[in-house]
Each structure stands twice: as C-alpha cells, then as structure tokens.
C-alpha cells in the first residue's frame, strides 16, 4: 500500500519520458497526432460503450450455462480501455490495448433452475426444495361456541 502513492507520482514522469523518447525517434508532429488520435478513439469508445455491453449480453445468452469471467467483465474492460486511451501518453495506450486483447479466462458454471447435479440428485442432494405431503386438520368447534 505504501508503493501506490509512489507509483502515482512516478507514472506522469514515465509517460512524459516515453513521449519524449518516441518524439526523438519519429518526430514531434507524429507523436502529437498519435496522442490526438488515441484521445479521439478513447472518446469514441466511451460514447459507444453501450454497444459493448449489449454484445456481451448477447454472447452470454448464446453460450448457455458456461460463461467466461473475462467475457462478463468485457464492458468494464472496454470502458477502462477507453479511459486509458483518453489519457495522453504511450504507456496508457499500451495498457488500453492489453485490456482489449481477447483473452479466454476460466469458465464459470451458471446455475439454472431445474438443471445441474443438485436438482437431479434427489433427496440426498443439497437442494433448497423439501419434498413431502401434507393434510389440513381443522379443529371441531361445539355448535354453541363460535370463534370470532
């Protein structure tokens, strides 16, 4: 936890150093255009973030009960990449590109009612359903006494 404030102080200097080194190699105008285009891309991504959430929902519905954790976090990764593209700098652009890579994470098993091992295992399973029979028994009241 003590390293986090230090990293937050070093980050702007690292971004500036990376931009200066890149400007030394390819020129100042090209670096300026790169920063401008990456900022416009980040702005466009944040404006169209609803599309990413909609596409994720559609893919989850098509996959059925096996869903990747990374695919569920796609809208969050997409928005964070858009914010990183908005920041001027080369390191933030690289981090945004890494966030947008289509990584396949571990699968998550979604539980659906009526499916899975707990529903078909019968009374020995860890189910929330208690099976049984009941019958209603009403008390007989004497004819002279009424309950109000």
């Amino acid at each position: 936890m003590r390293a986090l404030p230090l990293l937050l102080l070093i980050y702007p200097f690292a971004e500036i150093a990376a931009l200066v080194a890149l400007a030394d190699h390819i020129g100042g105008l090209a670096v300026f255009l790169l920063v401008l285009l990456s900022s416009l891309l980040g702005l466009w991504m944040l404006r169209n973030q609803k599309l990413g959430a909609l596409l994720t929902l559609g893919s989850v519905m098509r996959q059925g009960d096996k869903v990747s954790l990374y695919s569920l976090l796609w809208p969050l990764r997409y928005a964070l990449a858009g914010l990183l593209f908005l920041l001027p700098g080369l390191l933030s652009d690289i981090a945004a590109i890494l966030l947008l890579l289509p990584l396949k994470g571990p699968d998550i098993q979604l539980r659906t009612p009526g499916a899975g091992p707990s529903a078909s295992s019968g009374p020995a399973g860890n189910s929330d359903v208690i099976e049984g029979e009941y019958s209603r028994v009403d008390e007989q009241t004497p004819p002279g006494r009424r309950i109000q």
Side-chain angles (χ1 to χ4, degrees):
M1 279 310 238
R2 292 182 181 183
L4 185 63
L6 184 63
L7 287 175
L8 289 176
L9 286 174
I10 291 175
Y11 174 74
F13 294 113
E15 285 281 9
I16 291 170
L19 285 175
V20 168
L22 187 64
D24 190 36
H25 285 289
I26 65 171
L29 183 63
V31 170
F32 176 73
L33 289 176
L34 177 72
V35 168
L36 184 67
L37 288 176
S38 70
S39 295
L40 289 175
L41 176 65
L43 186 65
W44 178 80
M45 286 175 66
L46 288 177
R47 291 187 69 160
N48 295 324
Q49 199 250 343
K50 294 176 190 173
L51 178 65
L54 184 64
L55 291 175
T56 300
L57 181 61
S59 94
V60 167
M61 293 300 201
R62 279 192 309 268
Q63 286 178 358
D65 58 340
K66 281 205 170 192
V67 178
S68 170
L69 176 64
Y70 292 104
S71 69
L72 285 178
L73 293 177
W74 173 253
L76 180 64
R77 288 172 42 201
Y78 191 82
L80 186 58
L83 283 174
L84 286 173
F85 273 129
L86 270 177
L87 293 175
L90 189 63
L91 299 178
S92 62
D93 290 349
I94 291 172
I97 290 170
L98 289 176
L99 278 174
L100 291 176
L101 288 178
L103 301 174
K104 175 82 168 118
D107 287 340
I108 299 174
Q109 189 74 19
L110 295 178
R111 295 184 187 186
T112 57
S118 64
S120 62
S121 62
N126 293 332
S127 176
D128 291 339
V129 177
I130 301 173
E131 294 185 23
E133 295 180 12
Y134 73 95
S135 61
R136 183 175 174 174
V137 178
D138 291 330
E139 291 185 21
Q140 298 284 334
T141 58
R145 184 171 175 228
R146 291 195 174 165
I147 300 175
Q148 294 180 347

